[in-house]
């Protein structure tokens, strides 16, 4: 296939009035489509369910964005059946044809970009630039995995002994259950699904209950791209109602999960138990983080403060990669902290109705309650230097950007994933102390170092225990194909989405030797 070289999808320029008015017009148009119902789609056919899942606008919880079917074990079983049937032919479909479907889905998503951004704003409460970056990331996954499949379609070179030919190539695995979180509902759902599909597997797609409408839109795009019936079965439902069933079922060959540590560990445990299936289920799991940025005494302090703020508060800190700990060298502690607090006070908090809103709402009432409780814990454990007590959630799930200073590295707010706009600032004696504090976490997703000291950077390159380490820049917004993403420790299986090792996780490798 003659494809252009891979290139990341550019972001829209929100200082351009024409982009602003185009999005405003699309938001208005999509506003007229709110409240609709979306059925499950199993084997290419809509399936109505008895109950439904209402998805609300987190900036205005009284506004129902849509109602999505609510699968029970019955429908989840139907979806596994449909996926099992479709695997027979899809697994034998040429890799080029499978890759073309992804490229077509990418084209559709690019054409529908403003619409997808609008759904992100309504369903996910995303500020505009964040929503745009997410849709761009989804497009990137489609483009990158299509090319990756073409690279891998004939396997990889190995050696042969004289008189023989040894071949090493990949085959599809079977039925995959795709379980996605709400925080990157377009990008992660598209990424996990497209990787599974392009490698010849069929899937049961379960979006997060909080962003199920976006899930319906993603499924719709794959359908429009020409994916045969049964390859993608759209099966929204509550994780608590159908999650265990899907994971345990013997028809499931693998589970691709992104979400919290708690759920990921449960899935890993349940998947490991034999249940009559003639295989060991594979689990690809990307989980939480407690990501740290270290600032040493040689750093550009202004740039460091800017990037701490950007990494901690973009999308209200609801990113697995978000900086939730800033570890500052004692000699620069006061200066960096002062700058961070000053910058945090200028961040605009509110409904994502204009491009200057950086901190939008939290996704849901449970998330609002959880983060609010950590603000209370933080007030006991440390000194609050920015942020106010949360208001009434009926007016939107807003929590102001919060900074806690002089945090003990062992404090709960320094150890537990809060997943909100809350930063714990910790003082370190020196660089080794900072590194030790950063590594004192069960997680290991992202990490950053601001320093001009080569020895410090090289030490951190080796010793900072995180799957994605960034020097002298922000630590969020991993680009597909450029910053393959995945964590160490209890942050997951280090599967590096958007990287060269990702697609093989969805296939079995086969060695065939022929003697001549
Ligand atoms: P979550 O509560 O673990 O939910 C994730 C998904 O799992 C949802 O679709 C959920 O369904 C489902 N689920 C719940 N219980 C289940 C069960 N027993 N079996 C199977 N599935 C089940 O996580 P979240 O709150 O959506 O997402 C935030 C978390 O994701 C954070 O910890 C964040 O760090 C992590 N994250 C990690 C990455 C990464 O790449 N490492 C990226 C993004 C997010 P329901 O929605 O119906 O409950």
């Amino acid at each position: 296939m003659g494809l252009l070289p891979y290139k990341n999808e550019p972001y829209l320029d929100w200082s351009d009035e024409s982009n602003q008015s185009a999005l405003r017009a699309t938001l208005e148009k999509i506003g007229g489509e709110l409240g609709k119902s979306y059925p499950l789609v199993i084997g290419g056919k809509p399936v109505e369910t008895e109950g439904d899942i209402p998805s609300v606008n987190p900036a205005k919880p009284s506004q129902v964005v849509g109602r999505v079917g609510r699968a029970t074990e019955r429908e989840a079983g139907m979806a596994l059946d449909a996926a099992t049937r479709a695997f027979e032919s899809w697994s034998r479909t040429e890799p080029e044809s499978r890759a073309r479907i992804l490229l077509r889905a990418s084209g559709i998503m690019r054409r529908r970009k403003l619409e997808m951004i609008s759904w992100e704003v309504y369903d996910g409460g995303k500020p505009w630039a964040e929503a745009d970056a997410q849709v761009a990331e989804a497009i990137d996954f489609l483009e990158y995995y299509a090319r990756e499949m073409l690279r891998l379609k004939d396997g990889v070179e190995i050696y042969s002994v004289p008189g023989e030919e040894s071949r090493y190539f990949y085959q599809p695995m079977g039925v995959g259950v795709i379980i996605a979180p709400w925080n990157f509902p377009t990008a992660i759902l598209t990424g996990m699904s497209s990787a599974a599909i392009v490698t010849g597997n069929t899937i049961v797609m379960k979006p997060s209950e909080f962003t199920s409408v976006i899930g319906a839109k993603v499924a719709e795009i794959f359908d429009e791209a020409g994916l045969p019936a049964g390859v993608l079965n759209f099966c929204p439902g509550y994780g608590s109602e159908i999650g265990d069933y899907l994971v345990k079922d013997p028809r499931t060959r693998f589970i691709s999960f992104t979400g919290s540590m708690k759920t990921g560990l449960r899935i890993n445990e349940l998947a490991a138990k034999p249940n009559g299936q003639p295989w060991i289920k594979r689990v690809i799991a990307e989980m939480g983080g407690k990501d740290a940025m270290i600032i040493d005494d040689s750093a550009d302090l202004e740039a460091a403060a800017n990037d701490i703020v950007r990494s901690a508060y973009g999308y209200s800190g609801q990113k697995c990669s978000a900086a939730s700990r800033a570890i500052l060298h004692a000699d620069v502690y006061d200066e960096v902290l002062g700058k961070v607090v000053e910058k945090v006070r200028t961040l605009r908090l509110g409904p994502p109705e204009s491009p200057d809103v950086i901190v939008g709402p939290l996704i849901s009432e449970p998330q609002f309650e959880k983060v609010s409780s950590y603000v209370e814990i933080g007030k006991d454990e440390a000194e609050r230097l920015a942020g106010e007590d949360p208001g009434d959630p009926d007016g939107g799930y807003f929590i102001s950007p919060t900074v806690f200073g002089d945090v003990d590295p062992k404090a709960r707010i320094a150890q537990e994933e809060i997943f909100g706009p809350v930063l714990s600032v910790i003082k370190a004696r020196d660089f080794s102390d900072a590194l030790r504090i950063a590594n004192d976490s069960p997680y290991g997703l992202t990490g950053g170092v601001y320093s001009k000291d080569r020895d410090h950077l090289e030490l951190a390159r080796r010793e900072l225990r995180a799957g994605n380490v960034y020097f002298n820049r922000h630590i969020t917004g991993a680009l597909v194909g450029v910053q393959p993403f995945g964590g160490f420790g209890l942050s997951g299986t280090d599967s590096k989405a958007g990287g060269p090792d990702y697609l093989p996780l969805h296939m079995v490798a086969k060695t065939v030797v022929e003697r001549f």
Side-chain angles (χ1 to χ4, degrees):
M1 271 170 89
L3 291 180
L4 287 173
Y6 172 74
K7 190 165 136 286
N8 293 107
E9 177 72 6
Y11 298 152
L12 292 166
D13 175 3
W14 294 111
S15 65
D16 182 336
E17 286 289 334
S18 65
N19 285 336
Q20 292 192 25
S21 49
L23 183 60
R24 284 210 169 85
T26 315
L27 280 166
E28 202 178 316
K29 176 177 153 270
I30 298 297
E33 296 178 21
L34 301 186
K36 282 191 181 168
S37 294
Y38 302 86
L40 277 54
V41 181
I42 297 177
K45 297 203 171 58
V47 173
E48 300 294 341
T49 52
E50 256 177 45
D52 64 18
I53 300 178
S55 202
V56 304
N57 179 349
K60 200 175 167 189
S62 57
Q63 183 176 58
V64 176
V65 175
R67 294 180 183 281
V68 179
R70 174 175 169 179
T72 63
E73 290 184 4
R74 182 172 163 270
E75 289 83 17
M78 285 163 61
L80 287 169
D81 264 346
T84 304
R85 277 196 305 275
F87 182 72
E88 287 300 310
S89 54
W90 183 245
S91 59
R92 293 176 173 84
T93 302
E94 287 300 316
E96 285 90 345
S97 307
R98 302 194 308 242
R100 275 188 201 105
I101 304 254
L102 265 57
L103 295 169
R104 176 135 172 78
S106 158
I108 296 168
M109 207 174 273
R110 199 174 284 117
R111 285 190 284 282
R112 287 171 64 174
K113 187 184 267 192
L114 289 176
E115 187 197 317
M116 291 305 287
I117 292 175
S118 302
W119 286 113
E120 282 281 343
V121 170
Y122 282 116
D123 207 20
K126 285 240 161 165
W128 293 11
E130 297 280 350
D132 177 31
Q134 252 240 109
V135 179
E137 188 180 351
I139 292 169
D140 285 349
F141 276 131
L142 293 164
E143 294 282 338
Y144 180 76
Y145 291 147
R147 285 168 178 75
E148 278 293 286
M149 192 62 234
L150 297 176
R151 177 176 73 82
L152 295 168
K153 70 184 172 52
D154 297 321
V156 295
E157 285 296 315
I158 51 166
Y159 298 105
S160 298
V161 297
E164 287 186 356
E165 183 211 23
S166 292
R167 292 284 298 126
Y168 183 84
F169 59 96
Y170 298 103
Q171 290 190 320
M173 277 204 292
V175 174
V177 174
I178 308 293
I179 303 177
W182 46 263
N183 66 334
F184 292 96
T186 308
I188 292 183
L189 187 66
T190 301
M192 293 198 300
S193 302
S194 58
I197 287 169
V198 79
T199 44
N201 305 293
T202 54
I203 63 171
V204 175
M205 178 203 264
K206 195 207 99 53
S208 161
E209 63 179 279
F210 300 111
T211 47
S212 295
V213 172
I214 294 176
K217 295 289 158 189
V218 170
E220 192 181 289
I221 286 174
F222 276 110
D223 179 49
E224 205 181 318
L227 202 59
V231 176
L232 185 164
N233 299 282
F234 178 58
C235 189
Y238 288 108
S240 52
E241 292 179 358
I242 58 168
D244 288 359
Y245 174 84
L246 285 169
V247 170
K248 287 200 263 185
D249 193 279
R251 287 166 289 189
T252 298
R253 177 66 182 83
F254 68 101
I255 299 111
S256 180
F257 167 80
T258 306
S260 64
M261 175 176 77
K262 186 168 167 243
T263 311
L265 292 179
R266 177 178 178 82
I267 288 173
N268 196 43
E269 188 181 338
L270 291 181
K273 289 199 179 124
N275 193 21
Q277 76 277 7
W279 49 65
I280 296 172
K281 287 178 190 167
R282 197 175 288 174
V283 175
I284 304 164
E286 288 305 320
M287 315 187 307
K290 189 70 191 173
D291 311 310
M293 285 178 79
I294 296 174
I295 316 301
D296 85 359
D297 51 343
S298 68
D300 175 338
L301 304 186
E302 181 63 21
N306 276 329
D307 278 330
I308 290 173
V309 172
R310 176 173 175 180
S311 304
Y313 300 101
Y315 191 42
S316 310
Q318 300 176 108
K319 299 182 188 182
C320 46
S321 54
S324 55
R325 295 179 294 159
I327 304 172
L328 313 180
H329 187 291
D331 292 351
V332 296
Y333 179 87
D334 289 336
E335 189 174 344
V336 178
L337 182 56
K339 285 176 187 290
V340 167
V341 169
E342 195 182 308
K343 289 173 198 299
V344 165
R345 291 197 177 129
T346 67
L347 291 175
R348 176 133 184 246
L349 170 76
E353 285 167 353
S354 58
D356 57 331
V357 172
I358 304 293
V359 185
L362 299 189
I363 188 69
S364 62
E365 190 154 6
Q367 194 61 20
F368 174 87
E369 296 301 340
K370 177 181 160 202
V371 177
S372 302
S373 77
Y374 274 108
V375 170
E376 284 308 311
I377 292 167
K379 280 158 64 182
D380 284 342
E381 289 185 327
E383 187 185 357
R384 184 168 64 176
L385 302 167
E388 286 154 27
D389 287 344
D392 179 0
D394 288 347
Y397 308 129
F398 295 100
I399 293 195
S400 61
T402 301
V403 180
F404 287 108
D406 274 323
V407 177
D408 182 325
K410 291 284 184 202
R412 287 186 63 191
I413 57 166
Q415 288 287 331
E416 297 170 17
E417 186 184 49
I418 298 173
F419 224 55
V422 179
L423 177 71
S424 298
V425 184
I426 301 168
K427 192 185 283 181
R429 283 190 308 277
D430 52 28
F431 191 73
S432 331
D433 190 35
L435 210 48
R436 187 190 54 73
I437 294 168
N439 285 342
D440 180 18
S441 165
Y443 295 106
L445 194 44
T446 67
V449 176
Y450 249 94
S451 172
K452 290 182 187 147
D453 184 321
R454 178 50 47 197
D455 290 343
H456 287 177
L457 294 178
E458 293 309 324
L459 186 64
R461 186 186 296 274
R462 238 186 9 255
E463 305 292 339
L464 184 51
R465 202 172 60 86
N468 285 62
V469 172
Y470 301 92
F471 293 158
N472 295 317
R473 48 155 282 164
H474 58 279
I475 65 169
T476 50
L479 283 174
V480 173
V482 180
Q483 293 130 14
F485 190 79
F488 295 172
L490 291 180
S491 286
T493 50
D494 188 36
S495 26
K496 291 292 187 281
D501 299 327
Y502 194 66
L503 288 197
L505 298 172
H506 302 75
M507 298 184 280
V508 281
K510 190 164 183 176
T511 304
V512 178
V513 181
E514 180 170 356
R515 179 159 290 182
F516 298 119

